Amino acid sequence: MKKLLPFFIIICVFFLNASAQVNLNGFKPNGAIVSLRQKGLVVSWPVGNSAIGKMVLDLEKGKPLFNSLQMGKPGALKEVAAHLDPAFVLRIGKRTLSPNSGGWDVFFDRVPTRPYTTNVVKFAKGATSVFTKGAQTVVRINGVQCETFSGALEITLYNGSPLFNVAAVVSTPKDSTAILYDAGLISKKETWSNVAWSDVKGNLQREKSAKADPAKNLEVKYRTVIGENKGGSLAVFPAPHQYFYPLDEAFNLKFTWKGSNYLNLIPDFGIGIRQDPLGDKRYVPWFNAPPNTRQRLNFFCLLSTGKAETVLTAVKKFTNHDTYVPLAGFKTMASHFHNEFISDVVLSGKTIPEKPEFVDVLKKAGLNIVKLAEFHGPGHPKGPDSIRLKELDALFKQTKRLSDANFLLLPGEEANNFYGGHWLAFFPKPIYWIMSRKSDLPFETNDPKYGKVYRVSNKAEMLKLLEQEQGLAWTAHARTKASTGYPDKYKEEDFFKSETFMGAAWKAIPGDLSLPTLSKRVLNLMDDMANWGLKKHIISEADIFTITEQNEMYAHLNVNYLQMDKLPNYAEGWKPVLDVMREGKFFVSTGEVLIPKFNINGKGAGETLKIDHSGKAKINMQLNWTFPLSFVEIVSGDGLKVYRNRINLNTTQAFGTKDYSWAINLKGRKWVRVEAWDVATNGAFTQMVWLE
């Protein structure tokens, strides 16, 4: 027995050393189970329906990190995949930071036209820790390196779902950096029997998999590629909106890949997500990577014990099948589309289709109202008068023809005259107006064919027209693109202070993978305008050109949920739509997070609440979501400063609905609003409640 004792001690010391690199101090019981093993660890987590997922991680250098991925009922687990490594390719370029182009808010940048590098991100397994964040379990492994970038690999498991996220979280001290990344899972072994994906028409495609298959890029719908074998399927997909840096076009640029020797950089067979560095070959700004910000180069994985069809159906649920779901008491509205159907088809001599493809695409996305921004280039806003009036007449006739009881296609333009920068004009009925006026013609005339015609020569007359016809205007892509510096430059102008100027529009420009929200540029502007003492609102905008079934539309879309029970009839005008916008009775969403109910002490968005001397208030809201939620932020201001109260919601699981109520002190504040964001950086935000 004495001879066995030293050997026993040696074994114990060996296991202690093997697991000593794994720090479990931050791990708290949350339903997941973590156990250490020789040179590795095992994490199990509840995935719903009494099933569990199991991840066996090998921390020995030179061995695949994901030794085994399993799923099933306890005691009856199936191995879905084995011997996988995460892989990342990071492109590093230089950002143009000219103040004239918006600095870090730049869109008009062409990063790939300047020298950049394409690099495999190196991963040398280092010190490891496991910690919990509510219903999430995170494994962090140090040792990620790429040129001047360094950081750690983070694997996040979400209780209640077979969903997990893999992220290289890296930062650089270098200034003026723009980045782009591809990522996926690779293996030296024959891991998959088949690789599957949905084609752009929604049909599942499946190819037998062999390690020798050369890499190819796949044009897919739902941004997903799937590995399939006898034990089940694993889907790889990106954050549905965050991963797509801002472009003017929504072209499908083959955002997934499969095969061996990807980019001649990764010899092993893999499946993954990708970005085309040349984008739409126009303005290609990539992502911002400001110094010392923690950029999350990440992708999601979803496990299933079923075939590819099963897991793809499960993936589609996270984006409601790439649609904006109906919500009682609301109608969905999207704005700012330069499809140029009138110029390119109707007035070009081409055959006018009975059912244009772009209308079908927008209807299938679940949109009830679409506001166009035609004649952005090919039109004649300043005349000649005869051509301008013919263009408007064609626009009005076609939008009326293509509208129905459940879908309003509404005329609109990005006017870009008189006020400065780019801005959108929106009237509650067809209005014939020309953006110029000869001195011998009056502001308003009566045309024998078109009826009332306005001719506008300056900003005062533009304001007069909007007031007279109860129209609205707002800044397009505020503080970036051709609106860099706006609306700040005209915030003291009468037209901006008037009720005809609604505010500005929100789109995910710029892209920054270190932020837990999208487009802080416009959210900050929203707060600034309120602190200026102006009651303005922020509406979402798509700001894209081509609309086709083939395109990756959903990634570039967003929506406004307007508080309306029914759609107006086109022939009777659509003033109710403008009234809701003018009053701030709507919320903005990427689609995955919804706010069906919201009030503060009984007052809803756009309304005014009288706060007593104590400042005490209660925020009540209902949230619906698909991905697990991350946080809610209550944002308020006193006319000078902005205050933020963040409420952690990381105890939520995927696919939920809940009523929340939070007490807050709003003493001295003049306005308040609320944002909600999920783990994939999808979100929604209310308009202001004004305080007095």
Side-chain angles (χ1 to χ4, degrees):
M1 185 67 183
K2 290 182 179 179
K3 291 182 179 180
L4 291 174
L5 189 59
F7 179 72
F8 174 76
I9 293 172
I10 290 171
I11 292 294
C12 288
V13 171
F14 175 80
F15 276 98
L16 284 170
N17 288 338
S19 62
Q21 292 187 7
V22 181
N23 185 334
L24 299 180
N25 292 338
F27 179 75
K28 310 297 180 187
N30 70 345
I33 299 173
V34 177
S35 59
L36 301 178
R37 55 181 289 178
Q38 183 179 352
K39 297 185 179 179
L41 63 116
V42 179
V43 186
S44 299
W45 77 105
V47 298
N49 298 319
S50 302
I52 62 171
K54 184 177 181 180
M55 181 180 289
V56 181
L57 298 175
D58 193 331
L59 300 179
E60 183 177 358
K61 293 181 179 180
K63 298 290 184 68
L65 176 63
F66 296 102
N67 177 273
S68 180
L69 295 171
Q70 305 168 29
M71 183 178 160
K73 301 292 184 181
L77 296 178
K78 290 184 177 181
E79 185 170 73
V80 177
H83 312 298
L84 294 172
D85 264 317
F88 298 87
V89 173
L90 180 61
R91 292 182 173 89
I92 304 173
K94 185 170 179 59
R95 165 67 71 238
T96 297
L97 289 180
S98 166
N100 293 331
S101 59
W104 285 110
D105 285 337
V106 65
F107 175 84
F108 289 149
D109 200 359
R110 293 185 171 94
V111 177
T113 65
R114 300 186 292 274
Y116 66 90
T117 61
T118 304
N119 320 271
V120 174
V121 176
K122 297 176 182 177
F123 178 42
K125 298 169 186 172
T128 301
S129 60
V130 183
F131 55 94
T132 53
K133 297 195 300 183
Q136 304 169 22
T137 303
V138 182
V139 180
R140 178 181 291 156
I141 309 169
N142 290 334
V144 174
Q145 185 72 43
C146 184
E147 288 199 356
T148 62
F149 284 85
S150 62
L153 186 82
E154 289 188 359
I155 304 163
T156 305
L157 314 174
Y158 304 97
N159 284 358
S161 174
L163 179 75
F164 63 94
N165 181 271
V166 182
V169 185
V170 294
S171 62
T172 178
K174 191 174 180 180
D175 200 1
S176 309
T177 301
I179 61 173
L180 206 61
Y181 77 96
D182 303 347
L185 296 171
I186 61 174
S187 179
K188 295 184 180 341
K189 298 187 177 183
E190 297 282 357
T191 299
W192 307 113
S193 300
N194 304 296
V195 175
W197 63 93
S198 170
D199 66 22
V200 294
K201 294 187 178 296
N203 302 310
L204 189 77
Q205 303 296 319
R206 182 184 273 109
E207 288 186 1
K208 288 191 175 298
S209 171
K211 189 177 183 303
D213 292 343
K216 70 175 182 179
N217 303 330
L218 304 171
E219 185 179 64
V220 306
K221 191 173 176 65
Y222 307 114
R223 304 158 298 280
T224 301
V225 61
I226 301 163
E228 180 186 65
N229 59 35
K230 63 180 182 180
S233 303
L234 184 147
V236 174
F237 57 100
H241 301 281
Q242 183 200 43
Y243 184 60
F244 296 83
Y245 63 90
L247 292 171
D248 277 338
E249 293 282 10
F251 297 145
N252 193 315
L253 301 175
K254 299 184 176 181
F255 296 109
T256 65
W257 61 276
K258 77 172 189 78
S260 297
N261 201 28
Y262 179 63
L263 295 178
N264 295 318
L265 292 173
I266 301 174
D268 300 333
F269 186 94
I271 57 174
I273 62 173
R274 65 175 295 274
Q275 284 281 8
D276 189 320
L278 300 181
D280 60 14
K281 298 180 174 61
R282 297 176 74 243
Y283 292 102
V284 188
W286 290 11
F287 293 105
N288 285 339
N292 305 314
T293 55
R294 299 175 75 247
Q295 299 293 319
R296 291 185 59 86
L297 320 180
N298 75 99
F299 59 94
F300 286 91
C301 298
L302 193 69
L303 292 170
S304 173
T305 55
K307 295 294 185 182
E309 295 91 339
T310 301
V311 76
L312 181 59
T313 297
V315 170
K316 290 191 288 186
K317 284 180 64 181
F318 283 98
T319 58
N320 300 303
H321 293 240
D322 280 15
T323 65
Y324 295 99
V325 296
L327 203 57
F330 291 85
K331 297 299 178 183
T332 56
M333 174 184 171
S335 173
H336 201 154
F337 294 93
H338 300 301
N339 196 48
E340 304 301 352
F341 177 68
I342 302 304
S343 297
D344 295 350
V345 178
V346 177
L347 297 177
S348 69
K350 297 177 183 177
T351 301
I352 302 173
E354 180 66 24
K355 296 182 178 180
E357 181 183 13
F358 83 95
V359 173
D360 188 52
V361 169
L362 296 171
K363 283 184 174 182
K364 285 180 178 178
L367 298 174
N368 304 125
I369 307 166
V370 171
K371 181 202 173 296
L372 298 176
E374 292 284 278
F375 313 132
H376 188 60
H380 300 79
K382 295 185 177 182
D385 292 4
S386 59
I387 297 177
R388 166 66 171 174
L389 295 175
K390 181 181 179 181
E391 289 173 343
L392 287 174
D393 193 55
L395 174 63
F396 300 149
K397 287 177 178 176
Q398 288 298 318
T399 50
K400 181 179 181 180
R401 178 181 75 88
L402 295 169
S403 296
D404 56 43
N406 298 308
F407 180 77
L408 279 179
L409 185 65
L410 298 181
E413 296 180 78
E414 190 171 5
N416 307 340
N417 283 296
F418 314 121
Y419 285 172
H422 283 199
W423 58 278
L424 272 76
F426 193 26
F427 292 100
K429 62 182 181 180
I431 297 293
Y432 291 91
W433 65 297
I434 301 163
M435 301 183 202
S436 66
R437 179 169 64 84
K438 296 177 181 178
S439 58
D440 60 336
L441 290 173
F443 169 68
E444 180 182 334
T445 61
N446 191 59
D447 187 274
K449 181 177 181 180
Y450 301 110
K452 188 184 297 184
V453 175
Y454 294 97
R455 291 174 174 81
V456 178
S457 64
N458 55 49
K459 60 188 177 185
E461 291 183 347
M462 187 69 240
L463 174 58
K464 180 180 178 181
L465 172 58
L466 288 166
E467 289 176 335
Q468 192 163 314
E469 293 295 347
Q470 298 180 296
L472 284 178
W474 61 88
T475 310
H477 40 78
R479 294 178 171 174
T480 190
K481 298 182 79 172
S483 293
T484 298
Y486 297 99
D488 306 66
K489 291 180 180 179
Y490 50 57
K491 70 178 184 178
E492 299 300 331
E493 296 269 8
D494 290 341
F495 69 81
F496 183 68
K497 291 182 176 181
S498 81
E499 291 185 358
T500 68
F501 209 99
M502 185 191 66
W506 180 91
K507 180 184 176 174
I509 305 174
D512 188 329
L513 299 165
S514 71
L515 299 177
T517 69
L518 298 176
S519 195
K520 289 291 288 183
R521 166 186 59 91
V522 181
L523 295 175
N524 289 340
L525 171 62
M526 190 178 188
D527 303 334
D528 289 344
M529 290 190 297
N531 272 346
W532 295 342
L534 303 173
K535 292 185 176 181
K536 303 298 182 184
H537 309 299
I538 295 293
I539 197 162
S540 74
E541 65 178 354
D543 193 10
I544 52 179
F545 286 75
T546 315
I547 304 171
T548 69
E549 182 181 43
Q550 184 181 20
N551 279 2
E552 176 45 70
M553 294 298 301
Y554 186 75
H556 296 278
L557 286 179
N558 44 55
V559 74
N560 304 282
Y561 275 85
L562 307 184
Q563 291 183 34
M564 302 178 67
D565 290 321
K566 65 178 184 178
L567 290 181
N569 182 287
Y570 185 103
E572 297 172 357
W574 45 94
K575 182 176 179 293
V577 174
L578 277 75
D579 287 344
V580 170
M581 294 167 58
R582 184 179 283 110
E583 294 167 8
K585 298 290 188 181
F586 63 93
F587 70 87
V588 173
S589 174
T590 58
E592 299 78 8
V593 183
L594 302 179
I595 310 176
K597 299 176 184 177
F598 167 70
N599 71 75
I600 304 176
N601 287 6
K603 295 293 185 179
E607 297 181 348
T608 300
L609 170 65
K610 187 174 180 63
I611 295 284
D612 65 24
H613 67 279
S614 71
K616 292 180 180 179
K618 183 169 287 187
I619 294 176
N620 306 293
M621 67 190 305
Q622 184 183 96
L623 292 175
N624 296 357
W625 64 89
T626 58
F627 288 89
L629 291 176
S630 182
F631 64 90
V632 153
E633 192 155 79
I634 302 167
V635 188
S636 60
D638 61 7
L640 295 173
K641 292 176 61 178
V642 175
Y643 303 85
R644 302 181 186 278
N645 297 75
R646 182 168 295 192
I647 300 166
N648 202 326
L649 295 182
N650 59 24
T651 58
T652 56
Q653 298 185 5
F655 305 107
T657 297
K658 186 174 180 179
D659 291 313
Y660 289 97
S661 183
W662 300 289
I664 187 171
N665 193 311
L666 296 173
K667 188 173 184 177
R669 310 295 164 80
K670 295 185 176 181
W671 54 266
V672 60
R673 63 180 182 85
V674 183
E675 307 172 16
W677 299 91
D678 70 19
V679 298
T681 323
N682 308 304
F685 60 89
T686 72
Q687 300 303 300
M688 301 293 187
V689 173
W690 309 104
L691 306 175
E692 62 178 31

